Amino acid sequence: MKIYNTMSKRKEEFVPIEEGKVRMYVCGPTVYNLIHIGNARPMIFFDTVRRYFMYKGYDVNFVSNFTDVDDKIIKAAQEEGVDASVISERYIAECKKDMEGMNVMPATTHPLATQEIGGMIDMIRELIDKGFAYAVSDGTVYYRTRKFREYGKLSHKNLDDLQSGFREIKVTGEEKEDPLDFVLWKPKKEGEPFWESPWCQGRPGWHIECSVMSKKYLGEEIDIHGGGEDLIFPHHENEIAQSEACSGHPFAHYWMHNAFLNIDGQKMSKSLGNFRTVRDISEHYDLQVLRFFMLSAHYRSPLNFSADLMEAAKNSLERILTCADKLKDLAETAAGEELTEKETEDLKTVIGFQDKYEAAMDDDLNTADAIAALFEMVKFLNTTVTEESTAAYVGEARAIFLKLCDVLGIITDRKEELLDSDIEALIEERTQARKDRNWARADEIRAQLLEKGIVLEDTREGVKWKRA
Ligand code: AMP
Ligand code: ZN
């Protein structure tokens, strides 16, 4: 299996540190808001990487953090007049709901930065002892960037070029030795959460948390470290500087980065107002569609989100689900334990599509080509699996098909749950039926919704609904 390594800028054969095991760390979101569909891209992609390794028989230890201490969280807490933990706990819970909707498996461990402060203080102390960090008089601790000779090796940046980029920026605090130095620990400001430390009451910088959590839950040397491409510099570069200065050996063997998700051809950002949360999308689509849409492109290609592409993803996914339905129905009714001669040949063809799918995934997780192979399989199964097929053929073909769907995280058992938009459309139809004095239809809709656990309440402001 080949993986593109940002460090070497080429595809490399994957060789695990320990046979049969994969240790991977993926930088998780900062929890001050509902996650947006950009955040969903690394979640969905790296979950698929994990699933593919599992499919290949690896035992995967998958760690992904929640950054629950950060300026943006503190700001949101101040605006609401609540403790920062109220904000972070709320959005961790919401993020987990979105992950479930997208069928992203919970990580083996989801560490929280605020629960790992002791480890961060230990690592900062070690960096100071080794001469890689220094504290200044207000208690800020900086990493001495130039001391780490290999700084810039991941982002392929040269220290002197970086230095010139800083020319215009005034060094904050007279005592900072070099503009390139970054913060490991900073003093608290009024009203901010803080922890005791040998340097001052304060809180950690962002980069140190991942070095510490990765080491604690996966060990000093890991197989894969992942995240969105915006994290290459400075976040991952700084993680390398911290971790390798302490351990003296490579931090991660493979660095994987997903490209960005844009929206209607533009960068998605709050200032442009084209920001979409996963929750927004869930009101109109099953989040399975969002997942399928994300995987329809190669992870290193920028991906554009648009209504048209989501509709196309919905239709494509539907073809897969229809095939799954048919296989399920026929598996229940078919008989015959032995493959016919033709079926033996057909099964070879099915396995050929499976090989094609695996070849695509082995080539740097090319989910786009893997999906194309899956569609070839669907087309073939649609013609070769019939009422006349033996249980042996239906069973074997179906098992292969379901395994490949599962790697992509496609849930083939249809959910009965209604989407918000479906519910609202039915309510509208009921309102119209009542206007038309078609009481039978109105009652029928109410009963139909109730059966799915949706309770309607007629109020003066209109019809309200809730999930029972
Ligand atoms: P953040 O909460 O900003 O630290 O982001 C969490 C993860 O989402 C990181 O891996 C980011 O690289 C990734 N990410 C943020 N925005 C996008 C985007 N528009 N497209 C793809 N990945 C993104
Ligand atoms: Zn990180």
Side-chain angles (χ1 to χ4, degrees):
M1 177 175 178
K2 285 198 157 54
I3 286 182
Y4 181 88
N5 191 346
T6 307
M7 183 77 85
S8 63
K9 286 183 157 179
R10 52 184 184 80
K11 290 181 195 169
E12 293 175 21
E13 190 60 34
F14 178 75
V15 184
I17 295 171
E18 200 178 329
E19 212 184 308
K21 295 202 169 148
V22 180
R23 294 176 218 165
M24 61 190 288
Y25 186 97
V26 178
C27 296
T30 306
V31 279
Y32 64 99
N33 210 332
L34 289 172
I35 58 162
H36 58 69
I37 53 177
N39 299 135
R41 191 170 191 192
M43 283 180 185
I44 292 168
F45 172 65
F46 288 106
D47 178 66
T48 306
V49 176
R50 176 189 191 181
R51 286 168 183 267
Y52 188 59
F53 275 118
M54 287 163 60
Y55 168 88
K56 294 190 82 114
Y58 286 94
D59 178 6
V60 186
N61 190 345
F62 187 99
V63 177
S64 190
N65 64 305
F66 285 115
T67 297
D68 63 344
V69 54
D70 170 88
D71 289 343
K72 294 191 198 105
I73 299 173
I74 294 168
K75 186 163 168 269
Q78 285 166 348
E79 278 164 13
E80 274 193 37
V82 295
D83 205 66
S85 63
V86 173
I87 301 289
S88 57
E89 281 167 23
R90 180 195 305 155
Y91 290 114
I92 288 170
E94 296 299 346
C95 178
K96 287 184 174 171
K97 276 191 219 159
D98 288 336
M99 284 168 67
E100 194 183 334
M102 298 185 294
N103 200 23
V104 170
M105 291 161 63
T108 315
T109 315
H110 275 295
L112 306 181
T114 54
Q115 305 302 309
E116 310 288 344
I117 305 286
M120 298 187 214
I121 291 175
D122 290 345
M123 189 178 269
I124 296 171
R125 198 185 273 131
E126 186 178 347
L127 288 168
I128 293 177
D129 290 347
K130 291 189 163 150
F132 283 97
Y134 57 96
V136 298
S137 57
D138 70 353
T140 306
V141 184
Y142 292 104
Y143 187 94
R144 191 172 273 130
T145 303
R146 278 188 186 274
K147 166 105 178 158
F148 186 69
R149 297 259 166 254
E150 293 170 286
Y151 193 85
K153 68 178 173 179
L154 178 71
S155 51
H156 308 101
K157 288 184 193 293
N158 169 306
L159 275 185
D160 294 322
D161 293 346
L162 281 175
Q163 183 89 56
S164 63
F166 277 110
R167 232 184 357 225
E168 303 302 323
I169 303 170
K170 243 186 104 194
V171 177
T172 48
E174 303 293 294
E175 299 157 287
K176 188 171 168 181
E177 293 173 3
D178 188 323
L180 290 173
D181 295 351
F182 60 89
V183 172
L184 296 172
W185 186 267
K186 56 183 156 194
K188 67 166 184 189
K189 287 199 204 106
E190 199 46 45
E192 289 185 357
F194 66 89
W195 289 263
E196 297 292 339
S197 84
W199 313 289
C200 63
Q201 290 181 330
R203 59 188 168 99
W206 169 38
H207 316 298
I208 194 74
E209 79 178 65
C210 291
S211 285
V212 167
M213 296 190 269
S214 176
K215 177 179 163 188
K216 175 164 171 188
Y217 295 99
L218 295 169
E220 278 182 349
E221 203 162 341
I222 67 171
D223 293 296
I224 298 173
H225 194 115
E229 65 184 4
D230 58 322
L231 300 187
I232 299 173
F233 183 84
H235 186 53
H236 288 164
E237 200 68 73
N238 292 354
E239 283 187 37
I240 292 173
Q242 295 162 159
S243 297
E244 298 189 2
C246 285
S247 73
H249 48 73
F251 175 31
H253 289 201
Y254 304 88
W255 287 88
M256 297 178 78
H257 295 99
N258 62 273
F260 255 44
L261 179 79
N262 299 319
I263 188 159
D264 296 324
Q266 278 183 310
K267 189 180 152 82
M268 192 172 60
S269 82
K270 276 198 169 154
S271 56
L272 287 171
N274 57 3
F275 204 81
R276 298 284 279 277
T277 64
V278 170
R279 203 56 62 84
D280 290 337
I281 304 305
S282 77
E283 284 168 16
H284 305 283
Y285 291 97
D286 185 327
L287 291 178
Q288 286 276 297
V289 177
L290 182 67
R291 178 171 184 125
F292 192 74
F293 158 76
M294 295 273 185
L295 296 177
S296 63
H298 190 275
Y299 75 97
R300 285 191 288 113
S301 306
L303 177 58
N304 189 44
F305 180 90
S306 71
D308 286 352
L309 290 174
M310 279 294 281
E311 280 305 311
K314 184 178 170 184
N315 295 335
S316 300
L317 183 61
E318 188 54 38
R319 272 165 62 204
I320 293 177
L321 298 183
T322 307
C323 179
D325 290 344
K326 179 180 170 194
L327 292 173
K328 187 176 179 202
D329 290 346
L330 289 175
E332 279 162 13
T333 52
E337 297 304 310
E338 227 160 287
L339 294 171
T340 64
E341 225 167 274
K342 176 174 178 299
E343 286 176 342
T344 308
E345 284 310 304
D346 285 349
L347 198 59
K348 282 188 195 150
T349 308
V350 174
I351 292 167
F353 294 131
Q354 179 182 17
D355 291 343
K356 216 167 160 182
Y357 175 106
E358 288 183 10
M361 293 296 273
D362 282 343
D363 182 17
D364 190 30
L365 285 303
N366 192 334
T367 53
D369 285 359
I371 288 173
L374 189 62
F375 274 118
E376 286 186 70
M377 187 185 282
V378 165
K379 204 167 154 204
F380 187 75
L381 293 175
N382 282 343
T383 54
T384 59
V385 179
T386 66
E387 308 262 325
E388 278 74 52
S389 300
T390 64
Y393 181 62
V394 180
E396 290 192 40
R398 179 169 180 243
I400 294 170
F401 174 69
L402 292 184
K403 265 203 295 188
L404 302 190
C405 288
D406 188 55
V407 168
L408 299 173
I410 299 171
I411 301 173
T412 46
D413 277 329
R414 285 186 193 270
K415 275 192 256 164
E416 287 299 313
E417 206 178 287
L418 285 176
L419 295 174
D420 289 6
S421 54
D422 297 333
I423 295 168
E424 270 143 30
L426 280 167
I427 291 175
E428 212 166 287
E429 196 191 331
R430 175 173 170 266
T431 308
Q432 189 57 46
R434 289 171 57 141
K435 275 193 201 140
D436 300 343
R437 304 187 156 264
N438 184 352
W439 310 116
R441 178 65 188 141
D443 287 348
E444 189 182 56
I445 291 171
R446 177 188 276 274
Q448 185 188 343
L449 286 168
L450 192 62
E451 206 179 296
K452 297 260 163 76
I454 310 299
V455 184
L456 301 188
E457 197 192 335
D458 293 305
T459 71
R460 245 184 285 168
E461 296 88 54
V463 184
K464 295 212 166 119
W465 63 270
K466 62 171 192 260
R467 292 183 197 270

mmCIF file of all heavy atoms in Angstrom, residues 25-28 65 67 206-207 209-211 225-226 231 235-236 239, ligand 2:
data_model
loop_
_atom_site.group_PDB
_atom_site.id
_atom_site.type_symbol
_atom_site.label_atom_id
_atom_site.label_comp_id
_atom_site.label_asym_id
_atom_site.label_seq_id
_atom_site.Cartn_x
_atom_site.Cartn_y
_atom_site.Cartn_z
ATOM 1 N N TYR A 25 -2.612 9.498 14.492
ATOM 2 C CA TYR A 25 -3.102 10.665 15.226
ATOM 3 C C TYR A 25 -3.613 11.682 14.208
ATOM 4 O O TYR A 25 -2.912 12.015 13.257
ATOM 5 C CB TYR A 25 -1.957 11.286 16.036
ATOM 6 C CG TYR A 25 -2.395 12.420 16.938
ATOM 7 C CD1 TYR A 25 -2.663 12.202 18.284
ATOM 8 C CD2 TYR A 25 -2.564 13.719 16.442
ATOM 9 C CE1 TYR A 25 -3.084 13.236 19.117
ATOM 10 C CE2 TYR A 25 -2.984 14.748 17.264
ATOM 11 C CZ TYR A 25 -3.240 14.504 18.594
ATOM 12 O OH TYR A 25 -3.653 15.524 19.415
ATOM 13 N N VAL A 26 -4.831 12.152 14.437
ATOM 14 C CA VAL A 26 -5.402 13.163 13.537
ATOM 15 C C VAL A 26 -5.833 14.373 14.368
ATOM 16 O O VAL A 26 -6.575 14.220 15.347
ATOM 17 C CB VAL A 26 -6.622 12.587 12.767
ATOM 18 C CG1 VAL A 26 -7.252 13.652 11.872
ATOM 19 C CG2 VAL A 26 -6.206 11.377 11.937
ATOM 20 N N CYS A 27 -5.343 15.545 13.985
ATOM 21 C CA CYS A 27 -5.686 16.753 14.742
ATOM 22 C C CYS A 27 -7.185 17.018 14.628
ATOM 23 O O CYS A 27 -7.731 17.072 13.532
ATOM 24 C CB CYS A 27 -4.917 17.960 14.220
ATOM 25 S SG CYS A 27 -3.149 17.765 14.465
ATOM 26 N N GLY A 28 -7.809 17.179 15.773
ATOM 27 C CA GLY A 28 -9.259 17.360 15.796
ATOM 28 C C GLY A 28 -9.642 18.834 15.854
ATOM 29 O O GLY A 28 -8.782 19.709 15.848
ATOM 30 N N ASN A 65 -7.831 14.450 18.942
ATOM 31 C CA ASN A 65 -8.104 15.313 20.102
ATOM 32 C C ASN A 65 -9.270 16.264 19.869
ATOM 33 O O ASN A 65 -9.697 16.491 18.741
ATOM 34 C CB ASN A 65 -6.854 16.144 20.395
ATOM 35 C CG ASN A 65 -6.544 17.089 19.249
ATOM 36 O OD1 ASN A 65 -6.401 16.668 18.111
ATOM 37 N ND2 ASN A 65 -6.482 18.363 19.542
ATOM 38 N N THR A 67 -9.577 20.248 20.824
ATOM 39 C CA THR A 67 -8.902 21.404 21.412
ATOM 40 C C THR A 67 -9.965 22.163 22.194
ATOM 41 O O THR A 67 -10.827 22.810 21.610
ATOM 42 C CB THR A 67 -8.276 22.280 20.309
ATOM 43 O OG1 THR A 67 -7.287 21.485 19.651
ATOM 44 C CG2 THR A 67 -7.611 23.518 20.885
ATOM 45 N N TRP A 206 -1.097 26.133 21.522
ATOM 46 C CA TRP A 206 -1.871 25.090 20.831
ATOM 47 C C TRP A 206 -0.996 23.889 20.415
ATOM 48 O O TRP A 206 -1.396 22.735 20.567
ATOM 49 C CB TRP A 206 -2.547 25.738 19.614
ATOM 50 C CG TRP A 206 -3.183 24.811 18.627
ATOM 51 C CD1 TRP A 206 -3.881 23.666 18.904
ATOM 52 C CD2 TRP A 206 -3.210 24.967 17.200
ATOM 53 N NE1 TRP A 206 -4.350 23.100 17.744
ATOM 54 C CE2 TRP A 206 -3.947 23.879 16.685
ATOM 55 C CE3 TRP A 206 -2.707 25.910 16.312
ATOM 56 C CZ2 TRP A 206 -4.169 23.722 15.311
ATOM 57 C CZ3 TRP A 206 -2.941 25.746 14.959
ATOM 58 C CH2 TRP A 206 -3.656 24.668 14.472
ATOM 59 N N HIS A 207 0.207 24.170 19.890
ATOM 60 C CA HIS A 207 1.001 23.086 19.288
ATOM 61 C C HIS A 207 1.424 22.000 20.266
ATOM 62 O O HIS A 207 1.490 20.835 19.911
ATOM 63 C CB HIS A 207 2.241 23.665 18.610
ATOM 64 C CG HIS A 207 1.944 24.877 17.805
ATOM 65 N ND1 HIS A 207 1.091 24.847 16.734
ATOM 66 C CD2 HIS A 207 2.343 26.170 17.939
ATOM 67 C CE1 HIS A 207 0.987 26.074 16.223
ATOM 68 N NE2 HIS A 207 1.732 26.895 16.946
ATOM 69 N N GLU A 209 -0.065 20.672 22.682
ATOM 70 C CA GLU A 209 -1.059 19.675 23.086
ATOM 71 C C GLU A 209 -0.997 18.401 22.235
ATOM 72 O O GLU A 209 -1.065 17.296 22.763
ATOM 73 C CB GLU A 209 -2.473 20.265 23.112
ATOM 74 C CG GLU A 209 -3.140 20.400 21.781
ATOM 75 C CD GLU A 209 -4.567 20.961 21.879
ATOM 76 O OE1 GLU A 209 -4.762 22.116 22.293
ATOM 77 O OE2 GLU A 209 -5.487 20.225 21.519
ATOM 78 N N CYS A 210 -0.801 18.567 20.931
ATOM 79 C CA CYS A 210 -0.812 17.368 20.076
ATOM 80 C C CYS A 210 0.439 16.523 20.300
ATOM 81 O O CYS A 210 0.374 15.297 20.302
ATOM 82 C CB CYS A 210 -0.959 17.753 18.611
ATOM 83 S SG CYS A 210 -2.595 18.425 18.261
ATOM 84 N N SER A 211 1.602 17.181 20.507
ATOM 85 C CA SER A 211 2.825 16.424 20.788
ATOM 86 C C SER A 211 2.627 15.561 22.032
ATOM 87 O O SER A 211 3.023 14.391 22.072
ATOM 88 C CB SER A 211 4.005 17.376 21.032
ATOM 89 O OG SER A 211 4.451 17.924 19.811
ATOM 90 N N HIS A 225 0.457 10.676 10.940
ATOM 91 C CA HIS A 225 -0.110 11.874 11.564
ATOM 92 C C HIS A 225 -0.867 12.605 10.459
ATOM 93 O O HIS A 225 -0.342 12.795 9.371
ATOM 94 C CB HIS A 225 1.008 12.749 12.131
ATOM 95 C CG HIS A 225 0.502 13.803 13.069
ATOM 96 N ND1 HIS A 225 0.813 13.822 14.407
ATOM 97 C CD2 HIS A 225 -0.294 14.855 12.873
ATOM 98 C CE1 HIS A 225 0.218 14.851 14.983
ATOM 99 N NE2 HIS A 225 -0.462 15.501 14.067
ATOM 100 N N GLY A 226 -2.096 12.989 10.754
ATOM 101 C CA GLY A 226 -2.916 13.592 9.700
ATOM 102 C C GLY A 226 -3.635 14.853 10.123
ATOM 103 O O GLY A 226 -3.708 15.192 11.306
ATOM 104 N N LEU A 231 -2.707 22.789 8.291
ATOM 105 C CA LEU A 231 -1.974 22.493 9.531
ATOM 106 C C LEU A 231 -0.490 22.196 9.303
ATOM 107 O O LEU A 231 0.282 22.129 10.252
ATOM 108 C CB LEU A 231 -2.624 21.310 10.257
ATOM 109 C CG LEU A 231 -4.086 21.489 10.682
ATOM 110 C CD1 LEU A 231 -4.539 20.307 11.526
ATOM 111 C CD2 LEU A 231 -4.278 22.774 11.473
ATOM 112 N N HIS A 235 1.532 24.456 12.462
ATOM 113 C CA HIS A 235 1.176 23.502 13.523
ATOM 114 C C HIS A 235 1.999 22.210 13.496
ATOM 115 O O HIS A 235 2.628 21.847 14.487
ATOM 116 C CB HIS A 235 -0.327 23.216 13.448
ATOM 117 C CG HIS A 235 -0.827 22.359 14.569
ATOM 118 N ND1 HIS A 235 -0.610 22.657 15.897
ATOM 119 C CD2 HIS A 235 -1.514 21.187 14.568
ATOM 120 C CE1 HIS A 235 -1.156 21.720 16.657
ATOM 121 N NE2 HIS A 235 -1.703 20.816 15.870
ATOM 122 N N HIS A 236 2.007 21.521 12.370
ATOM 123 C CA HIS A 236 2.714 20.236 12.349
ATOM 124 C C HIS A 236 4.227 20.413 12.392
ATOM 125 O O HIS A 236 4.946 19.589 12.961
ATOM 126 C CB HIS A 236 2.262 19.409 11.149
ATOM 127 C CG HIS A 236 0.867 18.878 11.324
ATOM 128 N ND1 HIS A 236 0.109 18.395 10.295
ATOM 129 C CD2 HIS A 236 0.095 18.776 12.439
ATOM 130 C CE1 HIS A 236 -1.075 18.012 10.766
ATOM 131 N NE2 HIS A 236 -1.102 18.239 12.061
ATOM 132 N N GLU A 239 4.900 20.807 15.958
ATOM 133 C CA GLU A 239 4.772 19.525 16.674
ATOM 134 C C GLU A 239 6.042 18.699 16.491
ATOM 135 O O GLU A 239 6.548 18.098 17.440
ATOM 136 C CB GLU A 239 3.591 18.720 16.119
ATOM 137 C CG GLU A 239 2.228 19.188 16.579
ATOM 138 C CD GLU A 239 1.138 18.226 16.107
ATOM 139 O OE1 GLU A 239 1.366 17.006 16.074
ATOM 140 O OE2 GLU A 239 0.053 18.696 15.751
HETATM 141 ZN ZN ZN B 2 -2.480 18.960 16.155
#
